[in-house]
């Protein structure tokens, strides 16, 4: 006997056939995106590709397909950069970093390699397609720095290294240093989005410290001019030379992070490759109050490192050293940050308890360097929980 198919069953059969046909042909939106990326390099085409990619990425995230979301965002961003569409690509890279964070994607060596590739390709494409003296070049450079900092925060939250992955600290530091070359001290107005050269150089050195790169710091300091006669005089009203101030900032941070090894590496390399005056002369001058010369930063750093290698009972010597160098420390850029470092050093090495207000400032300062500390939740467990929620909503 022949059975007649009900109307509902017939509709269902047609729906299944249509779905199979679509699956055989692939996702039409993805197909359209692929054709766009294979086609011309026009900005209108790139922008349409951006919109399609953003839509697909969000679709994957909503359905719990996190690996597909991150891969699509990365691959499309890289392709747009290779086609010279830096401005359009920057928007998708920002989405890519957001998705890494939102989906609690673990910070692995593969993702770090991919981020390095994006950084290299971004800078190459920017230099090749936008004139260096164009305001757009500067805008996209600043945007790239912001994206790298967001990636660093993700690596802190979803990685195994406190304050963020060393490689990303290195990328952030390098970009800060690049931008410092086209900035001036007159640009220091963060509310208006402008940052001074000294601010950027200080940030660069800070990130090189966090990335444990003393050799890189020395190479950067070699680029800076030697101190002027005015910068070497005692009782002056101007700060020390940039290279000396940055050396001290870096050594203080190394010590506050309990990394005396790299602090010593930095100082030895600085004395060997950067400082032109004899160490014996500088040491004698440091103790001489009548020679008219300000105490040398490299001697202060050397004495501080030696004291911190001793026992806690050398605390009084540490306090004396800070007093002898107080005028120099107070003239350094963002002196409160410097005070935070010296306070932490006093607590760690000499059991000198800071006031409660300073403790709070210390914790906030150290947390801001990368994002706060090691992740509290395992990325894989968080992703599994999120995918279960996404699956239940479909």
């Amino acid at each position: 006997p022949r059975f007649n198919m009900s109307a509902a069953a017939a509709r269902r059969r047609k729906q299944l056939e249509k779905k199979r046909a679509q699956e055989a042909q692939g996702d039409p939106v993805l197909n359209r995106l692929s054709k766009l990326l294979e086609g011309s390099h026009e900005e209108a085409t790139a922008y349409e590709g951006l919109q399609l990619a953003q839509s697909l990425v969000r679709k994957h995230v909503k359905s719990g397909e996190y690996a597909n979301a991150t891969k699509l965002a990365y691959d499309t961003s890289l392709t747009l950069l290779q086609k010279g569409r830096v401005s359009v690509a920057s928007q998708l890279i920002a989405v890519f970093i957001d998705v890494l964070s939102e989906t609690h994607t673990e910070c692995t060596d593969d993702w770090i390699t991919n981020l390095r590739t994006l950084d290299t390709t971004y800078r190459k494409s920017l230099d090749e397609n936008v004139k260096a003296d164009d305001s757009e070049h500067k805008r996209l450079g600043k945007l790239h720095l912001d994206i790298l900092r967001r990636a660093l925060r993700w690596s802190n939250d979803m990685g195994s290294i406190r304050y963020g992955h060393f490689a990303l600290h290195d990328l952030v530091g390098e970009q800060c240093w690049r931008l410092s070359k086209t900035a001036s001290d007159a640009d220091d107005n963060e509310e208006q989005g402008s940052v001074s050269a000294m601010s950027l150089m200080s940030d660069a050195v800070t990130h090189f410290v966090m990335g444990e790169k003393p050799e890189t710091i020395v190479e950067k300091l070699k680029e800076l001019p030697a101190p002027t006669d005015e910068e070497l005089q005692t009782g002056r009203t101007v700060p020390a030379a940039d290279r000396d101030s940055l050396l001290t900032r870096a050594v203080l941070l190394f010590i506050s992070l309990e990394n005396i090894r790299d602090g010593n590496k930095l100082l030895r390399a600085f004395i060997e490759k950067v400082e032109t005056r004899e160490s014996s002369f500088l040491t004698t001058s440091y103790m001489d109050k009548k020679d008219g010369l300000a105490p040398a930063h490299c001697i202060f750093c050397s004495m501080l490192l030696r004291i911190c290698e001793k026992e806690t009972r050398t605390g009084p010597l540490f306090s004396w050293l800070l007093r002898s160098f107080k005028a120099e420390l107070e003239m350094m850029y963002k002196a409160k940050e410097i005070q935070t470092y010296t306070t932490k050093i006093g607590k760690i090495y000499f059991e000198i308890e800071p006031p409660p207000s300073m403790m709070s400032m210390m914790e906030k300062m150290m947390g801001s360097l990368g994002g706060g500390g090691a992740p509290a939740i395992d990325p894989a467990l968080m992703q599994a929980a999120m995918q279960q929620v996404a699956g239940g909503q479909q």
Side-chain angles (χ1 to χ4, degrees), residues 101-165:
S101 298
E102 291 171 14
T103 61
H104 294 82
T105 299
E106 183 180 4
C107 177
T108 62
D109 289 342
D110 286 342
W111 278 125
I112 294 299
T113 299
N114 289 342
L115 287 167
R116 281 184 177 278
T117 300
L118 279 180
D119 171 71
T120 302
T121 311
Y122 187 105
R123 291 185 289 103
K124 181 175 183 290
S125 184
L126 179 59
D127 291 341
E128 290 178 350
N129 294 281
V130 184
K131 293 181 179 179
D133 58 353
D134 194 315
S135 61
E136 180 69 356
H137 193 287
K138 192 171 185 178
R139 184 188 74 83
L140 290 171
K142 289 181 178 179
L143 182 58
H144 186 46
L145 176 58
D146 178 64
I147 289 171
L148 289 174
R149 282 174 167 157
R150 287 158 67 180
L152 178 60
R153 287 194 290 271
W154 159 75
S155 75
N156 170 78
D157 295 336
M158 292 295 118
S160 58
I161 303 176
R162 193 180 186 194
Y163 303 129
H165 199 284

Side-chain angles (χ1 to χ4, degrees), residues 241-293:
D242 289 345
R243 73 175 199 189
D244 291 344
S245 294
L246 293 169
L247 168 72
T248 299
R249 181 179 294 273
V251 170
L252 286 172
L253 183 53
F254 270 131
I255 298 174
S256 71
L257 292 170
E258 300 181 66
N259 186 358
I260 290 182
R261 177 201 65 192
D262 284 338
N264 276 312
K265 281 185 180 179
L266 170 59
L267 181 61
R268 283 196 297 269
F270 180 88
I271 292 173
E272 178 185 345
K273 300 179 180 180
V274 182
E275 182 58 69
T276 57
R277 295 170 293 174
E278 290 293 332
S279 296
S280 57
F281 167 77
L282 294 176
T283 302
T284 302
S285 176
Y286 194 98
M287 307 302 293
D288 188 347
K289 304 297 183 183
K290 299 179 181 180
D291 66 356
L293 296 178

